[in-house]
Amino acid sequence: MLNLLIAGFLVAPPAFASTPSPIQTKEDVLFVHKNDQKLLGFANPDSFVGVYKRMGEKEKSLSQVELYSLTGIESLKMDEALCKQALTKMFGPLNEIALKAQDIKIWNSHTGKTCEAAMVDPDKASPIPERRVLIGFVNAKPYAVVFKLPQKSTAEQQSNMRSFWDSLR
């Protein structure tokens, strides 16, 4: 049987997962919802929904993508202030946490203005020095995806991440 290692936990085959992703993607993915794998949601904020496994992605750090639903965010106009509000909802108050928000950009995706930010861990020994976060609106609802990277992301990796965002429906 196929088992996946997602976020450090052994996950049952998708045949046992019953909760679908709240949004779809054009990519070939498996989705594991936190309700189906209780340990998956452990130590994650309430906004955490689950993890996509991108089946066609060869680069390991880009193959697992966390999904967050940002309920409570009312505005549908993405700007830097709204991006920081969403990052706070996901990670905690930006001026009080160890991770530092950097490289915040607003770009136009297929769903409208979308935010991209790097959450950087200043600890040089961190196994995840960068979390690349894309935040925007899919079906007029705020969502975020997070890629956990073992080193600073490259322009090519960032393009790949934006391509995944553009596949969301």
Side-chain angles (χ1 to χ4, degrees):
M1 287 189 98
L2 172 69
N3 286 315
L4 297 175
L5 187 62
I6 296 181
F9 298 104
L10 192 58
V11 177
F16 295 104
S18 60
T19 308
S21 171
I23 54 178
Q24 304 306 309
T25 174
K26 290 182 174 181
E27 289 192 17
D28 181 19
V29 298
L30 295 176
F31 180 75
V32 180
H33 197 282
K34 70 178 180 182
N35 292 342
D36 298 326
Q37 294 290 326
K38 298 298 182 197
L39 290 178
L40 192 58
F42 179 73
N44 277 311
D46 291 340
S47 58
F48 176 76
V49 177
V51 177
Y52 290 105
K53 170 66 175 156
R54 298 170 72 192
M55 301 308 289
E57 180 56 52
K58 292 179 181 21
E59 188 173 337
K60 183 180 177 184
S61 63
L62 298 177
S63 68
Q64 293 184 147
V65 186
E66 295 181 348
L67 176 66
Y68 294 80
S69 175
L70 302 171
T71 57
I73 292 181
E74 301 299 324
S75 175
L76 293 178
K77 184 178 178 349
M78 181 56 71
D79 58 16
E80 187 171 330
L82 185 60
C83 182
K84 287 181 177 178
Q85 179 186 352
L87 291 169
T88 296
K89 188 168 186 59
M90 296 168 60
F91 297 101
L94 298 180
N95 59 347
E96 297 176 15
I97 61 173
L99 297 176
K100 300 301 172 205
Q102 296 179 356
D103 196 24
I104 296 175
K105 304 182 252 207
I106 308 298
W107 55 283
N108 287 314
S109 72
H110 74 294
T111 63
K113 292 196 181 280
T114 304
C115 175
E116 179 176 351
M119 295 299 290
V120 177
D121 191 334
D123 180 358
K124 300 290 185 212
S126 173
I128 306 170
E130 180 180 345
R131 289 157 179 83
R132 201 78 183 179
V133 184
L134 304 174
I135 304 165
F137 303 95
V138 179
N139 302 321
K141 294 180 183 170
Y143 287 99
V145 294
V146 177
F147 295 83
K148 294 181 175 178
L149 304 164
Q151 69 265 344
K152 183 170 175 34
S153 61
T154 66
E156 184 178 329
Q157 289 172 318
Q158 292 169 20
S159 177
N160 181 303
M161 292 178 245
R162 283 186 220 106
S163 175
F164 177 75
W165 177 268
D166 282 336
S167 78
L168 298 176
R169 301 285 180 253

